[in-house]
Amino acid sequence: IGIGVVIRIIVCRSSNPSDWSELSEFLLCASGDLVKVFSTSTEECVHVLEGHTGQVTGVILNPTNHLQVYSCSADGTIRLWDFIDGILIKIFVCGWPIFSIYVSEKHVGIAFITIHMEKNFQLVALHLPKVPEQEVEAREMSAVLCNISSNPGSTAMGRGGEYVASVMGRQLTVYFFKKLKTYRFSLKATDKKGAKNAFTCVACHPKDDCIATGHEDGKIRLWRNFNQKKEYTYSTQHWHHDAVGTLCFTTEGMHLLSGGVESVLVQWHCEEVNKKDFLPRLGGAISHICVSPDGQMYSTSHLDNKINIIHCSLKLSAVIQGLVKGNIWTDLMIDPRTRALVMNGRPGHLQFYSLQQDKQLYSLDIVQQEYINQEGLDQFEVMRAAFSVGGTWLATVEERGRCTSDLESSLKLWVYNEKAQSFELNTTITAAHQDRIMHMCFSPSTETTMLVTTAWDNQFKVWLLGLDSDTQKEHASWSCDYVGSYHGLQPTNCCFSSDGSLLAVSFKEVVTIWSSDTWELLTTLCQPPGPIRELCFGRLSCSKYLLGTTAKNLFCWNLLTCSLEWSTPMDVCLLRSDPLSENVVAFSLHSGNTDLFVFRPSEPRPLFTQKAVCGGKVQRCVFSPREEPLDSCDERFQWLNRSRLYFLTELMELLTFSTKAEDERILNSRKQLLVDDSVAVTPFYLLLGKHRQQQEEKQNSGVSQAADRVQPPQASVAIKELLHTPAHVLPAASFLCSMFVNSLLISNTGSRYGSLRFC
């Protein structure tokens, strides 16, 4: 986007379907437009399979080669990968957005995909051509089932591909490939007790004729004798109190796994009807369950963007946690100690996420109460959070009863414990204000530890960490040092100057400036009508400026003259300053898209402008300091040298700006190192290298008598492909022979003998 700058999506993991490698060493999962390969032992991402231009909607192993995997995407392509080496083998262009993919050993060269056609979703058999080209069009398809659900969990292959089962609404459809017959089984809307019978998911037994279906009322039905319309039977199991989210049989079919909003993995014993095992408290609602080919490991994908790797004995083995999806009430913050991104995580928690390693460091339990997943139940949520300058203190605000008049609120102060390497609760202040706390910030001054909070009770309060009278050292004693107000108006925002000497508090349309030493009201700043949305002090050489926004204007005041320096008509929805430079960013919503402006308060001319950085409104943004300054030769992008800007969209995508050179380094680091030409790997390679060396010696010594003869090509593309490509992904030797021999021929064009050719 723009010359020299690109936007990269940082949110990497999702609850899309995942799959295992043959030996349970790797877990592959869809992640946006990528496929990520994780090690099950180290939880590290070992490969990133890049190439899709749309969201990846399915990942499944190649049934004929356990070292290969298929991925499908909304971009209308199916890609075949060698996930061990991270190599793209082939691209099949379908032309239709693909929503799921299924394969089986009994249908070699065919992929069953779900596409949208003729106003409904259909399951079609797509024939994958066997041609040498890497990219090929796959247009030959035949319909299998019509009017099915787009949910990948609503369709499953049975008995290695003898039949396919699909559920939608209150109907189960089974199609047999050999008999070319379709059977449909329907349920009533409700049973005698009024339970909801609608289907939610389906799974097929790998060896027996048994189909398991999940339902909205939490029941699981096991269907048998479904190869005939009249004598089909089913038995019912019930444990889930809400809809069954996903079902999966184990490799040998001894157990059935189920999950839902309860965040509990249930293991049903197929031979013993009433026997089941549980693994509770796994996180968010379970959306997908996968079993490794050897049956030793399970994986559960959750709606909070987490994957749990579980041993078959129901012991949690590893956790792969991405940025938690959900309501973001707090601002985006950077932990001064770990430089991790901090924001709302799972309910009642703050997540500390490493942007450099793309993994969650840890989750801090703020509410310290068990979360109960029940619709309509009002529970505590973390609404505000702020770090002190050095990261020693963390302030949080939790609330319950936001939709009612009975508001419960607590202000908590956490201190960092060096031994435990985590934050510990130090002070809890119940009812710190008489109404909802709207904003809070720590003073950047190193002399005192001070926190300011503003609330709807028309007051702002200053909280001070006390000093021991004997040792004059800080101890865990927080107290309210000052309570301020202004003509009974409601305060909204507050912020400190860069040295902590001034505090700016906005009261609807008025900005007040206070001295942090005496709490004397120094001056007030006014502007055309409109409540203040954002307040922001300038940094470094621009520290004398104060910026403010309303729904229609952006203002800049000079605090030395207490006058308006400049203003511009702009609907700014978000305003942030870079703590390491004079730069300020402003996000403006215009015509359904958000525009970005980077400027310095000393002059209203933008340093950088980017139109339509994302669709919709930007929710949050933060500057993250770089470990080392970035050397940028272009003046337009020098605002990226010291800090990096991250912003969160309405679609819960975390985006960032990076230079092209920086992005290329990241991409190169993901690629596997190829063997250098000077490294001898095989006997054939040694022989070829020796031959090249002899040719060079002859040429240098002048021994060769045919100076006019063209030497054999020293960098043959065919030879490089043979040497650098893994043998298991190469075409047949009979196909490569003619190409390889032709690449070694010496052209005699222009000689009296003409050109030499093989017949």
Side-chain angles (χ1 to χ4, degrees):
I1 295 186
I3 300 175
V5 171
V6 295
I7 288 184
R8 295 199 304 114
I9 297 179
I10 298 299
V11 175
C12 292
R13 302 182 184 90
S14 67
S15 55
N16 286 335
S18 55
D19 209 343
W20 289 86
S21 64
E22 183 72 19
L23 300 178
S24 303
E25 296 178 358
F26 303 102
L27 176 68
L28 299 91
C29 71
S31 174
D33 57 356
L34 310 172
V35 177
K36 290 204 168 185
V37 184
F38 292 95
S39 170
T40 58
S41 57
T42 64
E43 306 176 16
E44 297 294 330
C45 179
V46 296
H47 285 302
V48 178
L49 308 182
E50 300 179 83
H52 284 292
T53 58
Q55 182 178 358
V56 178
T57 54
V59 180
I60 193 167
L61 287 176
N62 184 358
T64 60
N65 190 332
H66 65 275
L67 299 178
Q68 298 175 357
V69 66
Y70 286 105
S71 65
C72 65
S73 170
D75 61 8
T77 65
I78 297 175
R79 295 176 184 252
L80 180 64
W81 309 84
D82 170 17
F83 63 87
I84 298 295
D85 297 320
I87 297 175
L88 175 62
I89 301 174
K90 196 170 290 292
I91 304 174
F92 301 97
V93 181
C94 169
W96 298 84
I98 304 173
F99 295 87
S100 59
I101 183 172
Y102 314 91
V103 295
S104 69
E105 296 179 357
K106 296 185 179 180
H107 300 85
V108 179
I110 297 177
F112 298 92
I113 59 175
T114 303
I115 62 175
H116 189 265
M117 185 182 297
E118 297 179 359
K119 298 182 180 181
N120 58 45
F121 291 93
Q122 298 185 13
L123 180 69
V124 298
L126 181 68
H127 295 264
L128 306 178
K130 293 183 178 181
V131 294
E133 291 81 11
Q134 186 183 48
E135 183 171 345
V136 58
E137 289 193 1
R139 303 294 185 180
E140 184 181 354
M141 62 177 66
S142 56
V144 178
L145 292 176
C146 298
N147 194 22
I148 66 172
S149 173
S150 61
N151 180 15
S154 297
T155 303
M157 304 293 292
R159 293 196 67 174
E162 289 189 3
Y163 59 89
V164 59
S166 182
V167 295
M168 184 177 180
R170 296 185 299 276
Q171 181 173 272
L172 167 64
T173 304
V174 183
Y175 176 78
F176 290 87
F177 290 100
K178 288 185 178 181
K179 297 189 297 183
L180 301 180
K181 287 188 177 182
T182 303
Y183 296 97
R184 293 179 172 85
F185 310 95
S186 300
L187 295 175
K188 296 181 180 179
T190 57
D191 59 10
K192 296 180 180 179
K193 297 182 180 180
K196 299 179 181 178
N197 285 333
F199 291 92
T200 57
C201 54
V202 64
C204 297
H205 197 282
K207 297 182 178 181
D208 297 335
D209 287 335
C210 177
I211 298 177
T213 58
H215 300 263
E216 285 187 357
D217 57 2
K219 293 180 180 179
I220 297 175
R221 287 181 170 88
L222 299 176
W223 300 73
R224 299 183 185 274
N225 297 329
F226 46 80
N227 55 356
Q228 46 191 341
K229 181 66 177 176
K230 296 182 179 180
E231 298 183 4
Y232 74 92
T233 61
Y234 64 79
S235 59
T236 303
Q237 305 290 332
H238 195 186
W239 180 87
H240 297 275
H241 74 83
D242 211 322
V244 180
T246 179
L247 291 171
C248 181
F249 279 98
T250 56
T251 306
E252 297 297 326
M254 299 296 294
H255 300 96
L256 173 66
L257 306 175
S258 66
V261 297
E262 302 88 358
S263 304
V264 178
L265 177 64
V266 185
Q267 181 176 260
W268 306 80
H269 294 253
C270 295
E271 295 183 355
E272 302 180 42
V273 178
N274 296 323
K275 187 177 181 180
K276 48 188 175 292
D277 304 312
F278 305 95
L279 182 60
R281 291 183 287 276
L282 292 177
I286 300 177
S287 59
H288 182 70
I289 300 175
C290 186
V291 180
S292 63
D294 60 5
Q296 295 300 309
M297 306 294 289
Y298 309 150
S299 69
T300 58
S301 300
H302 299 259
L303 293 182
D304 61 354
N305 208 18
K306 178 173 67 174
I307 296 176
N308 287 318
I309 300 175
I310 303 166
H311 193 264
C312 60
S313 60
L314 294 188
K315 292 183 179 180
L316 189 63
S317 175
V319 177
I320 302 172
Q321 176 69 70
L323 281 172
V324 178
K325 297 179 180 179
N327 294 322
I328 305 301
W329 308 108
T330 66
D331 289 330
L332 298 185
M333 300 166 291
I334 299 296
D335 181 12
R337 292 179 175 271
T338 61
R339 296 189 178 182
L341 179 68
V342 182
M343 63 179 184
N344 286 103
R346 49 189 292 195
H349 290 67
L350 287 179
Q351 59 175 325
F352 288 69
Y353 195 88
S354 173
L355 297 169
Q356 292 75 24
Q357 303 176 12
D358 187 22
K359 62 185 296 185
Q360 179 175 282
L361 299 181
Y362 64 95
S363 179
L364 182 62
D365 188 359
I366 302 298
V367 174
Q368 297 182 343
Q369 292 183 5
E370 189 67 28
Y371 182 79
I372 302 174
N373 196 318
Q374 182 175 339
E375 186 178 357
L377 183 62
D378 200 359
Q379 302 179 76
F380 277 103
E381 290 281 358
V382 183
M383 304 301 295
R384 303 285 181 267
F387 283 97
S388 62
V389 177
T392 304
W393 290 93
L394 168 65
T396 60
V397 175
E398 60 189 56
E399 293 180 359
R400 181 172 65 180
R402 296 185 301 274
C403 301
T404 64
S405 58
D406 299 330
L407 176 67
E408 297 181 56
S409 176
S410 295
L411 172 64
K412 292 183 177 180
L413 292 146
W414 307 73
V415 63
Y416 189 80
N417 189 323
E418 293 287 351
K419 293 183 179 180
Q421 292 292 298
S422 181
F423 284 92
E424 294 182 350
L425 181 60
N426 177 269
T427 305
T428 301
I429 305 173
T430 57
H433 285 265
Q434 296 179 0
D435 209 329
R436 180 171 291 112
I437 296 177
M438 293 305 300
H439 200 270
M440 64 181 181
C441 61
F442 277 95
S443 171
S445 175
T446 57
E447 297 179 357
T448 59
T449 304
M450 183 188 303
L451 175 70
V452 175
T453 58
T454 64
W456 282 358
D457 58 0
N458 301 336
Q459 293 178 342
F460 72 90
K461 292 186 178 182
V462 180
W463 307 88
L464 197 63
L465 182 64
L467 296 177
D468 192 293
S469 58
D470 297 331
T471 62
Q472 292 299 312
K473 293 183 179 180
E474 291 184 355
H475 65 95
S477 176
W478 285 89
S479 60
C480 182
D481 185 64
Y482 180 77
V483 179
S485 62
Y486 183 79
H487 295 290
L489 297 178
Q490 190 178 89
T492 52
N493 299 282
C494 63
C495 61
F496 280 96
S497 59
S498 57
D499 60 355
S501 61
L502 299 178
L503 173 67
V505 183
S506 61
F507 291 87
K508 288 192 175 181
E509 302 175 357
V510 181
V511 178
T512 59
I513 308 297
W514 306 74
S515 171
S516 61
D517 295 330
T518 62
W519 298 118
E520 176 186 359
L521 178 60
L522 300 179
T523 187
T524 59
L525 306 172
C526 300
Q527 88 297 323
I532 300 293
R533 281 184 175 179
E534 299 278 348
L535 276 182
C536 177
F537 272 99
R539 302 285 182 175
L540 302 179
S541 62
C542 297
S543 58
K544 63 180 179 180
Y545 297 104
L546 176 64
L547 298 167
T549 65
T550 63
K552 297 182 179 180
N553 294 280
L554 169 64
F555 302 94
C556 178
W557 290 280
N558 189 326
L559 297 179
L560 297 181
T561 61
C562 296
S563 61
L564 185 65
E565 187 79 7
W566 54 265
S567 66
T568 179
M570 183 185 300
D571 181 12
V572 177
C573 57
L574 208 55
L575 187 72
R576 288 293 181 273
S577 62
D578 183 3
L580 299 182
S581 69
E582 297 90 350
N583 300 322
V584 179
V585 296
F587 290 95
S588 177
L589 185 62
H590 180 71
S591 300
N593 295 319
T594 299
D595 303 331
L596 171 70
F597 300 92
V598 182
F599 63 95
R600 292 190 178 98
S602 56
E603 53 180 334
R605 181 178 62 88
L607 301 174
F608 176 81
T609 302
Q610 182 64 60
K611 298 292 185 180
V613 293
C614 68
K617 183 179 179 180
V618 173
Q619 292 186 351
R620 302 281 189 268
C621 72
V622 68
F623 275 101
S624 176
R626 296 181 183 271
E627 294 183 0
E628 296 181 0
L630 183 67
D631 296 329
S632 177
C633 57
D634 197 329
E635 185 179 358
R636 286 186 63 209
F637 313 124
Q638 289 185 359
W639 65 279
L640 294 171
N641 288 353
R642 295 186 177 182
S643 301
R644 199 165 187 172
L645 177 65
Y646 295 88
F647 57 97
L648 193 68
T649 67
E650 291 180 348
L651 300 178
M652 288 298 297
E653 291 180 332
L654 186 66
L655 305 181
T656 184
F657 280 90
S658 62
T659 62
K660 286 185 177 179
E662 184 182 12
D663 214 48
E664 288 175 359
R665 287 198 299 268
I666 297 175
L667 294 177
N668 291 333
S669 65
R670 292 176 176 174
K671 295 180 180 178
Q672 296 298 303
L673 295 177
L674 298 178
V675 180
D676 187 73
D677 289 340
S678 62
V679 180
V681 180
T682 63
F684 176 73
Y685 195 80
L686 286 171
L687 179 63
L688 183 63
K690 184 177 181 180
H691 174 71
R692 287 180 176 176
Q693 185 178 2
Q694 292 176 354
Q695 292 290 341
E696 291 176 358
E697 291 176 354
K698 287 182 180 181
Q699 187 176 5
N700 295 334
S701 61
V703 178
S704 175
Q705 300 297 326
D708 57 339
R709 174 174 287 185
V710 179
Q711 297 295 326
Q714 301 298 314
S716 173
V717 176
I719 294 177
K720 283 189 174 182
E721 289 294 329
L722 283 174
L723 296 176
H724 293 162
T725 305
H728 62 275
V729 299
L730 284 173
S734 59
F735 177 80
L736 293 175
C737 182
S738 60
M739 294 177 58
F740 178 70
V741 173
N742 287 331
S743 69
L744 299 178
L745 293 180
I746 301 172
S747 175
N748 287 332
T749 304
S751 67
R752 59 179 180 173
Y753 299 106
S755 59
L756 179 64
R757 296 178 180 271
F758 277 102
C759 298

